């Protein structure tokens, strides 16, 4: 599904070259929010330890313990396949101007608990994929304005044509921005200073909906509670999957990130329909048949099944299932 297809690499390469990055780690939201707020407004300790702004309100009903479980052997196999994505995740962390060295080490130690080899690795067995075509189709480049050439290395931004600013409806004049990408009318976007305007980079299954709701975007919000501080007023536009509605000259790009293995398992479980008949009715035969092949025919009921039946040398899944 989209949550897996539009991954960390896509979102990082799609921002402008040399973008100034802020990071909110799902595992440390309040701490990182305070650090980001300090950067953009100079204000200290906006959120206290007892804050209740960021409950995780995007929990998938399929996420029972069995669906989330990975054996030690399976976890090693999945981490190996995630190696490049883990390196991009580390690059995002190291690029964040609101995280200090100790916080970076903290996240690496947490990563080592799930994927120790990849957490310490600098390279992977498989080369970093060239996603230029995905960027051209999903990011909204004009045909004559291709992104910076792929070098085989992790890039912080490959968008090099930043004038004029590039919101979604300028890139796709025949389309209209979905309502969930828009800010609540209570926020006057014209009041955000140009040198503070911020792009909210919503990577799927990282608690991005929770953050998006807290800063005033019209996502599927379980609460109307808004986060304090100036960051909600400075975050004027959003980038999510194939919806790039940010100005390329934004002062900051705020990424919400999560342990890549946890994000993958969450995305896999989220995409599994809880009501197959209802899913077929609402999304049509094409999407129904794709999900049915993956979850029922292969059958991959869980990420454990993907590893045991598909990634393992003893796996029995067909080549079509692993395509």
């Amino acid at each position: 599904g989209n949550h897996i297809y539009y991954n960390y690499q896509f979102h990082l390469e799609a921002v402008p070259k040399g973008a100034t990055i802020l990071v909110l780690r799902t595992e440390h939201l309040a701490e990182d929010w305070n650090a980001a707020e300090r950067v953009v407004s100079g204000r200290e300790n906006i959120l206290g330890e007892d804050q209740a702004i960021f409950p995780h309100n995007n929990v998938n009903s399929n996420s029972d313990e069995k669906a989330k479980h990975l054996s030690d052997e399976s976890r090693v196999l999945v981490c190996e396949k995630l190696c490049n994505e883990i390196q991009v995740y580390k690059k995002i962390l190291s690029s964040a101007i609101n995280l200090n060295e100790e916080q970076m080490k903290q996240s690496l130690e947490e990563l080592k608990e799930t994927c120790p080899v990849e957490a310490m690795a600098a390279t992977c067995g498989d080369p970093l994929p060239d996603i230029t075509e995905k960027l051209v189709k999903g990011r909204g480049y004009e045909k004559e304005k291709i992104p910076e050439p792929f070098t085989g290395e992790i890039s912080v931004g490959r968008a090099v044509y930043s004038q004029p600013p590039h919101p979604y409806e300028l890139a796709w004049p025949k389309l209209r921005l979905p309502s969930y990408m828009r800010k609540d009318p209570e926020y006057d976007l014209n009041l955000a200073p140009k040198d503070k305007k911020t792009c909210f980079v919503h990577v799927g299954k990282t608690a991005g909906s929770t953050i998006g709701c807290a800063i005033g975007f019209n996502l599927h919000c379980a609460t109307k509670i808004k986060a304090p501080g100036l960051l909600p007023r400075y975050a004027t536009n959003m980038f999510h999957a194939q919806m790039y509605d940010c100005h390329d000259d934004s002062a900051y790009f705020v990424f919400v990130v999560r342990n890549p293995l946890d994000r993958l398992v969450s995305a896999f479980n989220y995409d599994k329909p809880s009501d197959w008949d209802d899913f077929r009715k609402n999304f049509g035969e094409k999407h129904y048949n794709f999900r049915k092949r993956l979850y029922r025919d292969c059958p991959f009921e869980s990420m454990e099944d993907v590893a045991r039946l598909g990634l393992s040398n003893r796996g029995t899944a067909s080549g079509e299932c692993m395509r």
Side-chain angles (χ1 to χ4, degrees), residues 1-5 60 62 205 265-274 276 279 290-291 294-295:
N2 275 0
H3 289 113
I4 296 176
Y5 183 72
N60 167 33
N62 289 332
K205 307 314 297 175
V265 174
S266 178
F268 181 87
N269 292 330
Y270 181 84
D271 283 339
K272 180 182 177 182
S274 57
W276 285 92
F279 182 87
F290 175 80
R291 303 286 175 92
L294 178 66
Y295 291 106

Side-chain angles (χ1 to χ4, degrees), residues 22-39:
L22 301 172
V23 161
L24 304 176
R25 298 166 295 166
T26 300
E27 301 86 358
H28 306 281
L29 282 179
E31 176 185 353
D32 293 353
W33 179 274
N34 284 338
E37 184 70 36
R38 187 182 308 117
V39 169

Side-chain angles (χ1 to χ4, degrees), residues 177-300:
L177 190 68
S179 60
Y180 68 84
M181 295 281 292
R182 300 180 185 275
K183 291 278 283 195
D184 190 293
E186 74 174 84
Y187 294 95
D188 186 344
L189 304 186
N190 293 320
L191 295 180
K194 182 175 177 59
D195 64 346
K196 299 292 185 181
K197 283 190 175 182
T198 299
C199 170
F200 169 53
V201 183
H202 176 190
V203 183
K205 307 314 297 175
T206 62
S209 293
T210 299
I211 301 297
C213 290
I215 60 179
F217 286 97
N218 295 317
L219 294 160
H220 40 90
C221 304
T223 176
K224 295 292 185 179
I225 299 175
K226 299 295 191 296
L230 293 179
L231 189 55
R233 301 201 172 274
Y234 294 163
T236 57
N237 299 75
M238 189 199 304
F239 170 29
H240 176 51
Q242 74 273 34
M243 299 289 180
Y244 183 89
D245 185 49
C246 290
H247 296 281
D248 282 347
D249 59 353
S250 296
Y252 305 104
F253 289 77
V254 178
F255 280 72
V256 186
V257 299
R258 179 185 187 183
N259 180 300
L261 179 61
D262 294 340
R263 191 185 91 84
L264 176 66
V265 174
S266 178
F268 181 87
N269 292 330
Y270 181 84
D271 283 339
K272 180 182 177 182
S274 57
D275 185 324
W276 285 92
D277 291 335
D278 187 60
F279 182 87
R280 189 176 198 171
K281 177 181 177 181
N282 290 325
F283 293 95
E285 291 297 310
K286 178 181 178 181
H287 292 288
Y288 170 81
N289 288 330
F290 175 80
R291 303 286 175 92
K292 176 178 177 292
R293 178 175 66 83
L294 178 66
Y295 291 106
R296 286 185 157 182
D297 298 343
C298 282
F300 295 148

